Amino acid sequence: MIKLVTDFSGVGAANHALDLAGLEHENVSACDLDKFARRSYLAVFGTKEDMALLDTDEVKKIDSVYYREFVSGKSPSKEEWDWVHANEERVARKFSFYYPWNVYSRAIPKKPVDLYISSPPCQGFSIAGKREGSILFLNSLDFIRKNKPRVFIFENVKGLLSHDKGATFDYWTQTLGGKSINGVYNSFFVHPDSVPYHIHYTVLNSKEHGVPQNRERVFIVGFRDDEDNEFSWPRTEPLTKRLKDILESE
């Protein structure tokens, strides 16, 4: 049973991928601040009790504060924030799994998990955004450094490769790949902030893996130094589906 932690969990695409692959997993924790994503996530991966919690005054209040601050841009009052900071950890532990809102204030498990998956918000790298970068990667790096998961996976837009003329992606790979990068051992000039992992990275396009959508994404897979890091990317496959084949009739 894979012990799983996801950050920036959204509606649970990572969990769904593991289900499709037939990999049993225990949802140790997930984290997202968007109230609509949280409701969708729990509708699929939560319990009836979890769904009922969403309609309690405490959860609604925390949802509202985070949504107004980071999504709608209508800043809550200091008193509201003080209440959230004093209560969000307690409320997050009421769910059937640990389900905090804020990656900066959530607890990091002391015991290493099997798999950590992070998809930091991509607007800072996407050609559709302002390409101002994202410091949320540092939070995920901190999780890896402290928890030491057996394996981690990062996913982000292809624009990450060219952001700041490649300096951003170079920082990601140098700090994540403290042991090797795409099979090449990183023996010299190891970044002082690096974690001891072997990483593999590439760009995958969903249309080459059975999904009728031209969607390119960077994937980084990391293996702890004491784990078997033999790895190969999935082979491309002919696209046999069209969009109309998967749309619902209503």
Short mmCIF file of all heavy atoms in Angstrom, two decimals, residues 1-30:
data_model
loop_
_atom_site.label_atom_id
_atom_site.label_comp_id
_atom_site.label_asym_id
_atom_site.label_seq_id
_atom_site.Cartn_x
_atom_site.Cartn_y
_atom_site.Cartn_z
N MET A 1 0.84 -1.19 0.00
CA MET A 1 0.00 0.00 0.00
C MET A 1 0.88 1.25 0.00
O MET A 1 1.68 1.46 0.91
CB MET A 1 -0.91 0.00 1.22
CG MET A 1 -1.80 1.22 1.35
SD MET A 1 -3.18 1.24 0.19
CE MET A 1 -4.24 -0.01 0.95
N ILE A 2 0.76 2.05 -1.04
CA ILE A 2 1.55 3.27 -1.18
C ILE A 2 1.01 4.35 -0.26
O ILE A 2 -0.17 4.68 -0.29
CB ILE A 2 1.51 3.77 -2.64
CG1 ILE A 2 2.17 2.76 -3.57
CG2 ILE A 2 2.19 5.14 -2.76
CD1 ILE A 2 1.97 3.08 -5.03
N LYS A 3 1.88 4.90 0.58
CA LYS A 3 1.49 6.03 1.43
C LYS A 3 1.77 7.31 0.65
O LYS A 3 2.92 7.61 0.31
CB LYS A 3 2.25 5.99 2.75
CG LYS A 3 1.86 4.81 3.63
CD LYS A 3 2.46 4.93 5.01
CE LYS A 3 2.06 3.73 5.88
NZ LYS A 3 0.58 3.66 6.06
N LEU A 4 0.70 8.07 0.37
CA LEU A 4 0.75 9.18 -0.57
C LEU A 4 0.50 10.52 0.11
O LEU A 4 -0.40 10.66 0.92
CB LEU A 4 -0.31 8.96 -1.65
CG LEU A 4 -0.56 10.12 -2.64
CD1 LEU A 4 0.62 10.30 -3.58
CD2 LEU A 4 -1.85 9.87 -3.42
N VAL A 5 1.30 11.52 -0.27
CA VAL A 5 1.05 12.91 0.08
C VAL A 5 1.05 13.73 -1.20
O VAL A 5 1.95 13.56 -2.04
CB VAL A 5 2.11 13.47 1.05
CG1 VAL A 5 1.98 14.99 1.17
CG2 VAL A 5 1.98 12.85 2.43
N THR A 6 0.05 14.58 -1.38
CA THR A 6 0.03 15.49 -2.52
C THR A 6 -0.11 16.92 -2.02
O THR A 6 -0.80 17.19 -1.05
CB THR A 6 -1.14 15.18 -3.49
OG1 THR A 6 -2.39 15.34 -2.80
CG2 THR A 6 -1.03 13.78 -4.04
N ASP A 7 0.59 17.83 -2.68
CA ASP A 7 0.43 19.26 -2.45
C ASP A 7 -0.13 19.91 -3.71
O ASP A 7 0.12 19.41 -4.82
CB ASP A 7 1.77 19.91 -2.08
CG ASP A 7 2.09 19.77 -0.59
OD1 ASP A 7 1.15 19.58 0.20
OD2 ASP A 7 3.28 19.83 -0.24
N PHE A 8 -0.85 21.01 -3.55
CA PHE A 8 -1.55 21.64 -4.67
C PHE A 8 -2.41 20.56 -5.34
O PHE A 8 -2.33 20.34 -6.55
CB PHE A 8 -0.55 22.26 -5.65
CG PHE A 8 0.54 23.05 -4.95
CD1 PHE A 8 1.81 22.53 -4.81
CD2 PHE A 8 0.27 24.30 -4.41
CE1 PHE A 8 2.81 23.23 -4.14
CE2 PHE A 8 1.26 25.01 -3.74
CZ PHE A 8 2.54 24.48 -3.60
N SER A 9 -3.20 19.90 -4.53
CA SER A 9 -3.85 18.64 -4.92
C SER A 9 -4.98 18.81 -5.93
O SER A 9 -5.35 17.84 -6.60
CB SER A 9 -4.38 17.93 -3.67
OG SER A 9 -3.36 17.79 -2.71
N GLY A 10 -5.54 20.03 -6.02
CA GLY A 10 -6.60 20.26 -7.00
C GLY A 10 -7.78 19.32 -6.79
O GLY A 10 -8.24 19.09 -5.68
N VAL A 11 -8.27 18.76 -7.88
CA VAL A 11 -9.42 17.86 -7.81
C VAL A 11 -9.00 16.40 -7.70
O VAL A 11 -9.83 15.50 -7.80
CB VAL A 11 -10.36 18.05 -9.03
CG1 VAL A 11 -10.90 19.47 -9.06
CG2 VAL A 11 -9.63 17.74 -10.33
N GLY A 12 -7.69 16.14 -7.54
CA GLY A 12 -7.24 14.78 -7.29
C GLY A 12 -6.76 14.01 -8.51
O GLY A 12 -6.88 12.79 -8.55
N ALA A 13 -6.20 14.71 -9.50
CA ALA A 13 -5.71 14.03 -10.70
C ALA A 13 -4.65 12.99 -10.37
O ALA A 13 -4.60 11.92 -10.98
CB ALA A 13 -5.16 15.05 -11.69
N ALA A 14 -3.79 13.30 -9.40
CA ALA A 14 -2.73 12.36 -9.02
C ALA A 14 -3.32 11.08 -8.44
O ALA A 14 -2.90 9.96 -8.79
CB ALA A 14 -1.79 13.01 -8.02
N ASN A 15 -4.30 11.22 -7.57
CA ASN A 15 -4.97 10.04 -7.00
C ASN A 15 -5.64 9.22 -8.09
O ASN A 15 -5.58 7.98 -8.09
CB ASN A 15 -6.02 10.48 -5.99
CG ASN A 15 -5.46 11.33 -4.87
OD1 ASN A 15 -5.02 12.45 -5.12
ND2 ASN A 15 -5.47 10.82 -3.65
N HIS A 16 -6.28 9.90 -9.02
CA HIS A 16 -6.98 9.22 -10.10
C HIS A 16 -6.00 8.44 -10.98
O HIS A 16 -6.30 7.33 -11.42
CB HIS A 16 -7.76 10.24 -10.94
CG HIS A 16 -8.63 9.62 -11.99
ND1 HIS A 16 -9.57 8.64 -11.71
CD2 HIS A 16 -8.71 9.84 -13.33
CE1 HIS A 16 -10.19 8.30 -12.82
NE2 HIS A 16 -9.68 9.00 -13.82
N ALA A 17 -4.83 9.03 -11.23
CA ALA A 17 -3.81 8.35 -12.03
C ALA A 17 -3.37 7.05 -11.37
O ALA A 17 -3.20 6.02 -12.03
CB ALA A 17 -2.62 9.27 -12.26
N LEU A 18 -3.18 7.10 -10.05
CA LEU A 18 -2.79 5.88 -9.33
C LEU A 18 -3.90 4.84 -9.40
O LEU A 18 -3.63 3.65 -9.55
CB LEU A 18 -2.47 6.22 -7.87
CG LEU A 18 -1.22 7.08 -7.63
CD1 LEU A 18 -1.09 7.41 -6.14
CD2 LEU A 18 0.03 6.39 -8.14
N ASP A 19 -5.15 5.29 -9.30
CA ASP A 19 -6.28 4.36 -9.43
C ASP A 19 -6.29 3.70 -10.80
O ASP A 19 -6.48 2.48 -10.92
CB ASP A 19 -7.60 5.10 -9.19
CG ASP A 19 -7.82 5.46 -7.73
OD1 ASP A 19 -7.18 4.83 -6.86
OD2 ASP A 19 -8.64 6.36 -7.46
N LEU A 20 -6.09 4.50 -11.84
CA LEU A 20 -6.09 3.96 -13.21
C LEU A 20 -4.95 2.96 -13.41
O LEU A 20 -5.08 2.01 -14.19
CB LEU A 20 -5.99 5.09 -14.22
CG LEU A 20 -7.22 5.99 -14.39
CD1 LEU A 20 -6.91 7.13 -15.35
CD2 LEU A 20 -8.40 5.18 -14.90
N ALA A 21 -3.84 3.20 -12.72
CA ALA A 21 -2.68 2.30 -12.83
C ALA A 21 -2.82 1.07 -11.95
O ALA A 21 -1.95 0.19 -11.97
CB ALA A 21 -1.40 3.06 -12.48
N GLY A 22 -3.90 1.01 -11.17
CA GLY A 22 -4.11 -0.13 -10.30
C GLY A 22 -3.19 -0.16 -9.10
O GLY A 22 -2.90 -1.24 -8.57
N LEU A 23 -2.74 1.02 -8.66
CA LEU A 23 -1.81 1.10 -7.53
C LEU A 23 -2.57 1.51 -6.26
O LEU A 23 -3.03 2.66 -6.15
CB LEU A 23 -0.70 2.11 -7.83
CG LEU A 23 0.18 1.77 -9.04
CD1 LEU A 23 1.14 2.91 -9.34
CD2 LEU A 23 0.95 0.48 -8.81
N GLU A 24 -2.70 0.60 -5.34
CA GLU A 24 -3.41 0.91 -4.10
C GLU A 24 -2.61 1.91 -3.29
O GLU A 24 -1.39 1.80 -3.16
CB GLU A 24 -3.62 -0.37 -3.28
CG GLU A 24 -4.59 -1.34 -3.91
CD GLU A 24 -4.91 -2.49 -2.97
OE1 GLU A 24 -5.28 -2.22 -1.81
OE2 GLU A 24 -4.76 -3.64 -3.39
N HIS A 25 -3.31 2.89 -2.74
CA HIS A 25 -2.60 3.91 -1.97
C HIS A 25 -3.45 4.40 -0.80
O HIS A 25 -4.68 4.39 -0.84
CB HIS A 25 -2.21 5.09 -2.86
CG HIS A 25 -3.38 5.76 -3.53
ND1 HIS A 25 -3.97 5.26 -4.67
CD2 HIS A 25 -4.06 6.89 -3.22
CE1 HIS A 25 -4.97 6.05 -5.04
NE2 HIS A 25 -5.05 7.04 -4.18
N GLU A 26 -2.75 4.81 0.23
CA GLU A 26 -3.38 5.42 1.39
C GLU A 26 -3.15 6.92 1.31
O GLU A 26 -2.02 7.39 1.19
CB GLU A 26 -2.76 4.88 2.69
CG GLU A 26 -3.27 5.57 3.94
CD GLU A 26 -2.48 5.20 5.17
OE1 GLU A 26 -1.77 4.17 5.15
OE2 GLU A 26 -2.55 5.96 6.17
N ASN A 27 -4.23 7.67 1.38
CA ASN A 27 -4.16 9.11 1.26
C ASN A 27 -3.74 9.70 2.60
O ASN A 27 -4.57 10.01 3.45
CB ASN A 27 -5.53 9.65 0.82
CG ASN A 27 -5.43 10.98 0.12
OD1 ASN A 27 -4.34 11.44 -0.20
ND2 ASN A 27 -6.57 11.59 -0.13
N VAL A 28 -2.45 9.87 2.81
CA VAL A 28 -1.96 10.41 4.08
C VAL A 28 -2.38 11.86 4.24
O VAL A 28 -2.92 12.27 5.28
CB VAL A 28 -0.43 10.29 4.17
CG1 VAL A 28 0.10 10.96 5.44
CG2 VAL A 28 -0.01 8.83 4.13
N SER A 29 -2.17 12.66 3.19
CA SER A 29 -2.63 14.05 3.23
C SER A 29 -2.71 14.62 1.83
O SER A 29 -2.03 14.18 0.91
CB SER A 29 -1.71 14.92 4.11
OG SER A 29 -0.50 15.22 3.45
N ALA A 30 -3.58 15.62 1.70
CA ALA A 30 -3.70 16.42 0.49
C ALA A 30 -3.78 17.87 0.93
O ALA A 30 -4.03 18.15 2.11
CB ALA A 30 -4.94 16.02 -0.31
#
